[in-house]
Structures are given as C-alpha cells and as structure tokens.
Amino acid sequence: KREKIMKYDVELLAPAGTFEALVAAVQNGANAVYIGGMRFGARAFAGNFSDEELIAAVKYAHVRDVKIFVTVNTLIRDEDFEECMAFIDFLYHNDVDAVILQDVGLASEVHKRYPDLELHASTQMSVSNLQDALYYKEMGFTRIVLARENSIDETKYIYENTGLEIENFVHGALCVSYSGKCLFSYANGGRSSNQGSCAQPCRKKYHFVSDNKKRFDYFLSTKDLCTIKDVEQIIQNGTYSLKIEGRMKRPEYVATVVRSYRKAIDAINRGELFDPEQLEQEMAGIFNREFTAGLLTNSSARNIGNSLVPNNLGVVLGKITQVIPKKKRIEIELDIPLRKGDGLSLGEHVGRILIGDKIVDYADAGQKIMLDYFGRARVGDIVRKTSDKYLIDTAIQSYQKERIKIPLVGRIEITKGKSPKIIVTDNRGNEVLFCLDTIVETAQNVALSSDDVLAQIEKTEGTPYCFETLDVALEEGCFLKKSDLNAMRRNVLEQMTSKREVLHPDRKSLSDVWQYPTSIKSRNNRKKSNSKISPSMISVKCFTKAQIDACGETNVAAVYVTNAENYQYATQLGLIAYYCTPTMLKDDQIHTLDSFVEKFAPNVLTTSIGYAKYLQEKYRLDSLRLDYLSNSINYFTFAKFKESAIQSVTLSLEHPNLLDGEILHADNAEFPILIHPLLMFTEFCPYKENYPCKVCQIDEGNLVSEDGNTSITIKRDNFCRMQLFGQKPMDFSKGISNALRSGIRRFRIDLLDQNYEETIATINRYTG
C-alpha cells in the first residue's frame, strides 16, 4: 500500500453507440456514458439511439447511479435549427443529464431556453487555452472537453483559473488534426467531420516529397491513445472526467477498456498498487494501432504517429520458425498464449492447435505450436493476434448479468390483522412505502419466522439492488404466504426503480415550441444588386511579399498575413493589414504574441473567440475578425459573435448556402470566393523531437494521395505546427450575386503559392 491515500472524486466517462455497449459500460463501472441520437451527433455512422432507446438508456443508467450525456455536437444549419431545438426539448424533458455541444449559436439558444441544463463544450470546439475556456464559461458551459493536444500542465492551469469541470480523452482513437479544425474529409469528397460523417482520409497512404526525399506510407495515421500508466498524474492535475473514445466500437471493447480504467482508478483511491502493464496488454488485445500516451503527458509530437498500419494491429504472437508446404502448416514459437478461436494477422481464426501430434485448444507462451495455413508464409515472419477469444468472452460475460448493486435500507412490518408494509430507502434518500392489499392471518400450523421473511425479501438477484440492512418487525404467530412476500419485494423495488429513473424532477415543462424568428428569415434577399464586386470589397490572404505587392497594385481592401515581417511590409506599403494568428493558440503562445501586439497594436484575424476578447480587454483592440474555422454557419452564431464586437466573421466553407440560398447574417459576414483551404492543423510531425526544430523537413513539402487525386502543401505556422493546405482551391464564386443580394459587402480570397502575376490575375478574375 502507498504511504498516503488521496481519494479523487473523478468521473469515468464511457462511449456507447448501441444499447448493448451502454450496458457494457455501466456494468463495468462507468460513472457516465455519452451517446448520440439519430441526428446532430459527430458519429453519424455509429449505431446511435432512437428516441425510444434513448429514453430507455436514461432510465437504465439513472437507476444505477450513472449519468447520460447526449452528443449534439455538429454544426447546425439555419434550416435545421427548429428540428435541433425540438430534439433538445426532448432530451431536457426526458431527464438527460447534459448535452455536448459544438455550435456556438445553438449553445446560446439552449442556455437561454434551459438555463438549468448542463452544457459541455465538445472537443470539436477546440478549446486549447484559458481565454476560450473563460468565454465559454460566460456563455453557460459548466464543462470543457479540452483539445486532445493539451498537456496535463495546461489542463491544470485552465482548471485552476476557471473552476470548470475539465474532461480529457484518456483512451481510444486519436485525430491527427485538432478536432473541429479539420476540413480534409469535406474538401475531398464532401463528408464533413463537423457533421459527423468524416471519411478519415488521414488513414490513407500518401506520397511525401520534400527536398527530393520521398516517403510513401500512412503519413498522417496515428497510434491509439492509452494513458493507463498515467491515470493518477492526470487526475492530480485538474482532470475531472476521464473520457474513453469509441462510440463506433463493439460492446466488448467498451467493456474491456472501461473495466481496465475502473480498476486503475479504484486502486488509486484505495491506496493500492495495480499492474498498468497487464491492463494495457488486455486493452491492446481487444483493439490497438499501437499505443501512445499522446500529448497529454508531454510526450514528443512525433511519437503519436503510426505510419505502418491504419487499423487494428493486434499484439505480437510470435515468429514463424518453420514452414511445411506439403502439410500446409506453419510452426510458431509463442510469445503469448494462444487459444482456439483467436484471430490472427494471417487473415484467419485459429481452427486447431497442434503440439507435436496432439490437438489442443490452448497453448502457453514459450511453446512451439503448429497451425494449419494455406497462404504464403516465410520463416522469421512476425504473426500477430488480432482478436482474443478469451478477452472477448470475458467481456461479454461481464455485462450479461446484473453486477450493479445499489445498497438499500429496509424495514418490514408484519402484524396480525393488519396489512403488511415495507419501507425502503436508497443511497440517494429516496423512500418508498408499500402496503400489501391483504390482511395478515394467525398461523394455524407453522408461524412465519424472521428468517422466512429475509429469505424472500432479500432475494434481489437479477436486480440492481441489495439490502444493506433489513429490519423485520414481526409479531409472533403470523402467517403470510411466500408469494405475498415476493409481491411485496417486487412492488417496492419497482416503485424504487421508478423514483430512481428521474434525477431532475424539478425541471420546468415549457409548453411553447421553439420557432425560428420570422423577423430574421424575412429580412434578407430584399436588396437588388448586380453580380460584380470591386477590389475595395476584397481581402486577400497572402504568404509572400510578391503576393502583397500584387494586392497593393490592385487596391484590395485588406491583406491577411501570417507573420510579423509581412505585417510590417504590408503596412509600409500603405495597405490595411490583418495579422492571422495561428489556427490554434495555447496560453504560452498567447503570451509570446503579446510583445508583437504591444508594439504594433495590429488588426487581427483569428479563430479563437477567447483570444479576440483578450485583445479587446487587455489592449483595447477593435479591428478583430474571425476566420472561417470559427465554424460559423447559422444566424445565431453570427449574432453571438456580433455581441462580442467582432468586426466580421468569414462564413464557414461548409456553409450550406454559399452557392445558392438565403444567407441570414449578412451584416457581419465575409464571403469566401476562392480559398486554398486549411485542410488540417496538427501538432504532429514525424520528424519533430523538440521545439523549435533545427532543420525543418516539412515546410513547403507536398503530400500526394495514393490515387493521385489529392495534393497538399505543408506549411509550418509560427510555432512549428503543421498546416496542410489544399493545392486545389475551393471556388464559391457562383455565389457572389446571391451574397450581394443578401447584403454581404465583404469578400475573401486565400492564396497559396501564386506569384505576382498569378495573384493579379486571380483578383481581376472576380472584379473585372
């Protein structure tokens, strides 16, 4: 045992894509489970829950002291707002404990309508600094799901300065990009990660070219997160909720991973030692792409990548020591046990195991075994176990029977000539009284004993209850049938279940239905306009001085630049310049930028609303704009940002009405005309050991997909993070006339590697 026992009040949060996975999570020790409905969740291809299943899930979990959080963490289009708010109404009135949100406009409306409903800021909101956390706290969020790229030190800093509940991912698949800041799937096929339908192009093979060096592998594919060895350190530094990823995973996976982290947390709270290596091995056996502790524990950014395979790697079983083609057999020396039914990287499940001439169902580590094999194999090849029958069977057994036992305190009173009654109190203070509709008789032969009563009332197998104490007040000489006692038990437990199903009985019932305000819908599309725009309406994002020169020549309204040197150059030319902050900002980077802000008091284009508020409050800056990765696609998000005195917001490249349809937020919107999109922003680099790197092998390098259809330029940001830009621009110029009719007067072009002449030609193409 440890010298000092420190108990931590933490939450183990599990995923569930199906009801079976929910049961697996609850029965294996989850404190809370996050699930999705049939729409508006960021895992559109998970099983997800129908309305009826969702109601049943809440009741099932609440009875067992487990909370249910529902993901409504996609971006919400104006045309979907009424349906989404109706879904929120449904969740509220069916006792859901919290909703996990990404959309700022939706969060604003939900908090106005239901101020007592817990709001959790999804990791899709990409909260990575204190300023964003403070902004969302002011909006009404009670919990922040931090970006996976934040460390435990950053977690502690944000927690101590906000008091918010902090949730961190501790296990499961990693996105190589900051979640919520990835357009890769959308720009290359139209499947949006912000709408829950990511096609995972990052898991494909890419040809990387830089300085004539070539690599062809799964360049952007990551290992899976596993922090079982670091659990105590994580919870010591401000993390309240330990979140497991996996709403698309099978119930056995959920059961195994939840059980492992439950063992670790319980051992820590009891002051006992546990074996993290063994737990990690069990979890690797159920699914892994190799494990990494990720950036949460300050490990190197290069260590999160796995360029070898994009899917389940399994665990090393052993080496092939002999191949016998005539018998179609291979010999393997085992590093770990093998059972009949296990899955192998050879592409099949184990049918029979031979040790010598004996057929067995099990072989231990260190033994040499023969397997039937009809494929090609070579001596020295590594064989991996990709599924473990024992682990799977154990996981299934863990949730097939009721293992939760809620302690009850009961008293049963049995008196001749009266109705017998039982009073039961649970661990939440719920009290239930049940009187049987019968009269206790005088015993004619054998009188009822206290042991008889206890034997029937304490028969709670198959229920989530057990009697911690049960007092029996029994008058001598009473008679009561066993069936009557059983009925008393059943009825009192059913009533207790009904009470426990509801955790928020005081929620107010609103009779009105949320409707999109007619005044907003009818205010646009009244303005007549031609389809031409002038250079004075266009802002251009530039990476080079030649591009800035071309913008000066064409008299555009403003330039967006990405470093201090180009900012000074543009202002010296007399151009209105905006400094583009890095897409993601951490607190130490914000403080690094302070010297530049103090010196130049710049106009700023940023993705971080919290940073914009910081600039307003600390430096009194007012020329502040939000970039398209602020993910603004509905009127209410724009309205919320307008409240914060943001000068303009670039429409999300995923806005449904860029090419046609009504745009309801014209007064502070900037319309994208031609954009080389930032497909992905990532801390990952396969070469980076430390910051700053001495020699960058990434900057201006190119990625080409295996099929040749996707070409990407890689640029470093000011803090040595990879930015992946699409070489093929997204062209929304067909929507210019529609944008003008809606009242939009700001437009935008994002360049990439265009030279001076190409920049002038690009600008002139849209201005005539």
Side-chain angles (χ1 to χ4, degrees), residues 270-340:
R270 288 194 300 263
E272 298 173 354
L273 298 175
F274 65 98
D275 187 351
E277 296 283 354
Q278 180 185 347
L279 295 177
E280 183 176 298
Q281 189 72 12
E282 288 180 9
M283 292 187 289
I286 209 77
F287 190 93
N288 83 95
R289 297 182 180 93
E290 290 190 350
F291 282 145
T292 173
L295 300 178
L296 186 59
T297 56
N298 297 305
S299 60
S300 171
R302 71 179 295 176
N303 292 336
I304 69 172
N306 176 5
S307 61
L308 298 176
V309 293
N311 47 24
N312 185 25
L313 190 62
V315 293
V316 174
L317 177 68
K319 276 185 181 180
I320 296 177
T321 52
Q322 189 181 172
V323 178
I324 309 175
K326 287 185 178 180
K327 291 187 176 181
K328 297 191 182 300
R329 290 180 186 169
I330 56 174
E331 182 185 66
I332 302 173
E333 185 171 355
L334 298 179
D335 293 343
I336 58 174
L338 182 69
R339 288 177 176 80
K340 182 180 179 179

Side-chain angles (χ1 to χ4, degrees), residues 406-411 422-433 465-469 492 496 500:
I406 307 298
L408 301 177
V409 174
R411 176 177 172 81
I422 184 170
I423 304 169
V424 172
T425 306
D426 70 358
N427 59 342
R428 300 206 300 246
N430 291 312
E431 185 175 279
V432 174
L433 167 64
Y465 303 108
C466 67
F467 280 95
E468 190 173 58
T469 61
V492 79
M496 180 58 74
R500 291 181 63 83

Side-chain angles (χ1 to χ4, degrees), residues 518-526 635 664-667:
T518 306
S519 58
I520 296 171
K521 281 189 170 183
S522 62
R523 69 183 194 139
N524 286 322
N525 283 340
R526 302 182 202 162
Y635 169 83
L664 304 177
H665 22 71
D667 50 355

Side-chain angles (χ1 to χ4, degrees), residues 310-592:
N311 47 24
N312 185 25
L313 190 62
V315 293
V316 174
L317 177 68
K319 276 185 181 180
I320 296 177
T321 52
Q322 189 181 172
V323 178
I324 309 175
K326 287 185 178 180
K327 291 187 176 181
K328 297 191 182 300
R329 290 180 186 169
I330 56 174
E331 182 185 66
I332 302 173
E333 185 171 355
L334 298 179
D335 293 343
I336 58 174
L338 182 69
R339 288 177 176 80
K340 182 180 179 179
D342 286 349
L344 301 180
S345 57
L346 298 170
E348 54 192 57
H349 285 79
V350 176
R352 65 176 183 168
I353 303 169
L354 289 94
I355 299 178
D357 294 327
K358 186 179 179 182
I359 297 175
V360 298
D361 291 338
Y362 173 84
D364 214 338
Q367 291 185 298
K368 284 189 176 181
I369 56 103
M370 284 279 185
L371 295 178
D372 299 315
Y373 185 60
F374 297 92
R376 292 182 180 179
R378 294 174 300 178
V379 172
D381 283 355
I382 298 291
V383 179
R384 290 177 174 269
K385 187 197 293 188
T386 54
S387 68
D388 188 308
K389 186 177 186 301
Y390 174 76
L391 282 177
I392 292 172
D393 289 347
T394 301
I396 292 172
Q397 290 168 12
S398 74
Y399 60 85
Q400 284 185 328
K401 292 183 179 179
E402 183 68 65
R403 300 171 67 201
I404 306 297
K405 291 299 174 185
I406 307 298
L408 301 177
V409 174
R411 176 177 172 81
I412 186 166
E413 298 177 4
I414 302 174
T415 305
K416 285 177 283 189
K418 293 184 178 180
S419 295
K421 68 179 180 180
I422 184 170
I423 304 169
V424 172
T425 306
D426 70 358
N427 59 342
R428 300 206 300 246
N430 291 312
E431 185 175 279
V432 174
L433 167 64
F434 176 74
C435 293
L436 190 66
D437 187 18
T438 190
I439 300 298
V440 177
E441 299 174 359
T442 300
Q444 299 300 313
N445 296 309
V446 180
L448 189 67
S449 71
S450 293
D451 287 343
D452 294 333
V453 175
L454 291 172
Q456 300 309 123
I457 301 299
E458 290 183 336
K459 196 184 291 183
T460 58
E461 296 85 355
T463 77
Y465 303 108
C466 67
F467 280 95
E468 190 173 58
T469 61
L470 179 59
D471 293 333
V472 179
L474 174 63
E475 185 181 0
E476 287 187 13
C478 290
F479 174 76
L480 202 60
K481 292 185 289 187
K482 285 184 179 180
S483 59
D484 289 333
L485 292 169
N486 290 337
M488 292 181 72
R489 182 193 67 245
R490 283 196 305 270
N491 278 279
V492 79
L493 294 185
E494 285 172 5
Q495 289 185 39
M496 180 58 74
T497 294
S498 296
K499 281 203 169 189
R500 291 181 63 83
E501 285 173 347
V502 180
L503 277 181
H504 310 94
D506 297 328
R507 286 186 175 174
K508 297 177 181 177
S509 181
L510 297 182
S511 57
D512 66 308
V513 175
W514 189 95
Q515 292 182 316
Y516 210 109
T518 306
S519 58
I520 296 171
K521 281 189 170 183
S522 62
R523 69 183 194 139
N524 286 322
N525 283 340
R526 302 182 202 162
K527 301 169 185 176
K528 293 183 179 180
S529 177
N530 57 35
S531 59
K532 293 182 180 179
I533 57 176
S534 65
S536 63
M537 300 165 74
I538 299 177
S539 298
V540 182
K541 185 174 183 179
C542 302
F543 287 100
T544 67
K545 289 184 172 66
Q547 292 169 348
I548 295 171
D549 288 337
C551 288
E553 180 69 25
T554 52
N555 297 313
V556 298
V559 292
Y560 298 148
V561 297
T562 58
N563 58 55
E565 182 182 350
N566 283 350
Y567 185 84
Q568 292 176 70
Y569 182 76
T571 54
Q572 287 166 3
L573 290 179
L575 292 169
I576 295 174
Y578 283 76
Y579 173 71
C580 301
T581 69
T583 300
M584 294 303 303
L585 286 170
K586 294 188 176 183
D587 290 292
D588 60 337
Q589 294 156 359
I590 288 174
H591 299 146
T592 299

Side-chain angles (χ1 to χ4, degrees), residues 75-90:
L75 300 179
I76 309 301
R77 305 168 187 172
D78 287 295
E79 54 266 38
D80 295 331
F81 230 89
E82 289 183 356
E83 183 183 349
C84 187
M85 288 298 289
F87 183 53
I88 297 289
D89 286 351
F90 167 78

Side-chain angles (χ1 to χ4, degrees), residues 512-716:
D512 66 308
V513 175
W514 189 95
Q515 292 182 316
Y516 210 109
T518 306
S519 58
I520 296 171
K521 281 189 170 183
S522 62
R523 69 183 194 139
N524 286 322
N525 283 340
R526 302 182 202 162
K527 301 169 185 176
K528 293 183 179 180
S529 177
N530 57 35
S531 59
K532 293 182 180 179
I533 57 176
S534 65
S536 63
M537 300 165 74
I538 299 177
S539 298
V540 182
K541 185 174 183 179
C542 302
F543 287 100
T544 67
K545 289 184 172 66
Q547 292 169 348
I548 295 171
D549 288 337
C551 288
E553 180 69 25
T554 52
N555 297 313
V556 298
V559 292
Y560 298 148
V561 297
T562 58
N563 58 55
E565 182 182 350
N566 283 350
Y567 185 84
Q568 292 176 70
Y569 182 76
T571 54
Q572 287 166 3
L573 290 179
L575 292 169
I576 295 174
Y578 283 76
Y579 173 71
C580 301
T581 69
T583 300
M584 294 303 303
L585 286 170
K586 294 188 176 183
D587 290 292
D588 60 337
Q589 294 156 359
I590 288 174
H591 299 146
T592 299
L593 291 175
D594 280 349
S595 58
F596 169 71
V597 174
E598 287 169 356
K599 184 175 181 180
F600 294 101
N603 307 314
V604 172
L605 174 73
T606 185
T607 299
S608 169
I609 179 63
Y611 182 59
K613 293 288 289 180
Y614 171 82
L615 294 176
Q616 289 172 342
E617 293 167 4
K618 184 171 181 178
Y619 296 105
R620 306 300 179 202
L621 300 187
D622 55 9
S623 293
L624 303 172
R625 298 183 178 184
L626 288 180
D627 213 339
Y628 57 77
L629 283 174
S630 61
N631 293 330
S632 306
I633 73 167
N634 59 62
Y635 169 83
F636 298 97
T637 298
F638 275 83
K640 188 64 185 175
F641 290 149
K642 190 175 181 181
E643 283 178 20
S644 301
I646 299 298
Q647 189 182 56
S648 70
V649 182
T650 305
L651 291 160
S652 166
L653 305 189
E654 300 182 64
H655 195 290
N657 296 340
L658 288 179
L659 297 178
D660 53 41
E662 193 173 18
I663 298 174
L664 304 177
H665 22 71
D667 50 355
N668 62 332
E670 181 178 66
F671 187 89
I673 302 173
L674 187 79
I675 305 288
H676 285 274
L678 178 58
L679 301 176
M680 183 180 288
F681 185 89
T682 177
E683 299 278 349
F684 167 66
C685 175
Y687 303 113
K688 182 167 65 178
E689 282 287 359
N690 299 298
Y691 167 74
C693 294
K694 293 180 180 178
V695 179
C696 186
Q697 302 181 58
I698 289 293
D699 202 28
E700 303 299 333
N702 294 315
L703 281 180
V704 181
S705 60
E706 191 172 17
D707 59 12
N709 293 331
T710 303
S711 297
I712 296 165
T713 293
I714 301 174
K715 291 181 181 287
R716 285 185 304 163

